[in-house]
Amino acid sequence: MAPVLMHRSGIVGLAIGSLWLIAISEAFAILSLLLIGTPVATAVLLGVAAVGLGLIAVSVGVIRAALGLPKSPASSTDEGRRIRRQFATAVGGEIVALAVVNTVCLATGRQVFIVPFDLLIVGVHFLPLARIFRVPRYYVLGAFFCLVPLVTVMAIPSTARVGQGLAWLVVPSLACALWASLTGAIGLREAWQAVRTARAIAPTPPAA
């Protein structure tokens, strides 16, 4: 359920975050389906692309609507600065972890672990974001990103394939992309509801 009231900056941030989730998950889903390369995967790819483009269009509309709201008060702006600093710290830690893990995997000839480990790191980075942005569903998203790669590595042989793609690459990528897209779509709905609420309580300008 959408909050009773969100400031403009919070709504814009939620909508942009949702757009990012949708766009990046759609990109990875399309790449995974291309790697699978079967007729069924190609048909699914077309559907994924259509849904993704639709959600991206909606995201842009919600962002534009949010930007049209009255500017946030000073207190909300100060909080926005704090949130941006904490966000930068979380993302910086994620980037460092990805660089270290990928370098180690390449140096040791364990490239097959790159995708599962990268998804695990991304999942861990969602946990502080849930607290920073006060979006509890990011805890679920982060846990899902952590669980899926671990289950994949433990349950599927590293040489297994789905169509023409390596299972360790396409299975966790598709599963996480689906969940991230769903999370982004929920965020969009919440942002739009917040826009409508903010419009409803906005003061009516005096008559000329």
Side-chain angles (χ1 to χ4, degrees):
M1 179 178 296
V4 174
L5 176 62
M6 289 176 64
H7 293 302
R8 174 180 181 268
S9 58
I11 301 173
V12 171
L14 177 60
I16 291 176
S18 299
L19 170 60
W20 170 251
L21 279 177
I22 291 166
I24 196 67
S25 61
E26 291 294 325
F28 276 98
I30 289 172
L31 175 61
S32 298
L33 292 166
L34 286 172
L35 290 173
I36 292 173
T38 63
V40 172
T42 301
V44 173
L45 186 153
L46 296 175
V48 167
V51 172
L53 288 174
L55 288 174
I56 289 171
V58 171
S59 301
V60 172
V62 173
I63 292 171
R64 291 182 63 184
L67 289 172
L69 295 173
K71 290 186 178 181
S72 302
S75 60
S76 177
T77 303
D78 293 339
E79 182 181 8
R81 294 193 187 99
R82 176 187 61 79
I83 289 174
R84 285 192 290 272
R85 287 195 299 268
Q86 294 177 340
F87 174 71
T89 300
V91 172
E94 176 194 26
I95 292 172
V96 170
L98 289 171
V100 170
V101 167
N102 291 347
T103 300
V104 171
C105 287
L106 290 171
T108 58
R110 301 285 184 174
Q111 293 91 334
V112 71
F113 282 97
I114 288 178
V115 170
F117 283 178
D118 282 359
L119 289 172
L120 182 63
I121 291 168
V122 173
V124 170
H125 118 285
F126 276 118
L127 302 180
L129 294 189
R131 175 184 55 80
I132 292 169
F133 295 121
R134 298 187 180 95
V135 181
R137 61 179 167 272
Y138 285 175
Y139 286 120
V140 179
L141 180 63
F144 191 85
F145 267 68
C146 292
L147 180 63
V148 169
L150 291 175
V151 171
T152 299
V153 169
M154 290 186 295
I156 301 176
S158 61
T159 56
R161 289 183 174 271
V162 178
Q164 301 173 23
L166 281 174
W168 278 23
L169 192 160
V170 299
V171 170
S173 295
L174 284 173
C176 290
L178 175 63
W179 198 264
S181 291
L182 177 61
T183 302
I186 294 172
L188 280 182
R189 179 176 180 272
E190 182 177 310
W192 177 241
Q193 289 179 333
V195 168
R196 294 179 62 184
T197 298
R199 284 175 172 174
I201 66 174
T204 303

